Amino acid sequence: MSDLFRAPDAHPMLAPVLVIVLSAWTLVDGLVHYIDGSSDPLFPWWVTLLLVVGGPMTVVGLSVVQIVRQRALLGIDIRSASVEPPSQIVRVVGGMLRRAARVGG
């Protein structure tokens, strides 16, 4: 199973927190366009409001569930997660440091 842009390599909570922020942005943008009347009234008002509010709120709810599960099952907290760097990055940086030491020494 692949994750959202390998975000857990940086921090296990990065993907759900980023999704919550982007969903809130989408919700606010959709509500502003709905209130302005600048959106095309393709659907009845109640369908438009359901889509504008329901979609982002569903995504936020699923992200909150993911955060709660990671905290309960894995003991990962947003502030105190210790993340090991990916082995590929460690190899690349280690190789660069060894080459720099040979050239400089």
Side-chain angles (χ1 to χ4, degrees):
M1 183 169 125
S2 64
D3 291 308
L4 177 70
F5 304 110
R6 293 180 46 132
D9 287 346
H11 192 286
M13 295 287 187
L14 181 61
V17 169
L18 182 63
V19 166
I20 288 173
V21 169
L22 293 176
S23 295
W25 183 340
T26 303
L27 174 65
V28 169
D29 184 52
L31 286 175
V32 165
H33 285 299
Y34 178 75
I35 292 170
D36 277 353
S38 61
S39 61
D40 188 24
L42 185 62
F43 299 108
W45 68 269
W46 60 272
V47 174
T48 303
L49 193 59
L50 182 69
L51 291 172
V52 164
V53 174
M57 293 307 293
T58 302
V59 173
V60 166
L62 291 172
S63 294
V64 168
V65 168
Q66 182 178 358
I67 289 172
V68 169
R69 286 191 55 167
Q70 283 186 358
R71 186 170 185 177
L73 298 177
L74 304 174
I76 298 174
D77 193 301
I78 290 178
R79 293 185 185 191
S80 64
S82 62
V83 180
E84 296 296 325
S87 59
Q88 182 179 2
I89 293 175
V90 171
R91 280 195 306 262
V92 169
V93 171
M96 289 171 56
L97 291 175
R98 283 190 295 275
R99 279 192 297 265
R102 277 185 286 184
V103 170

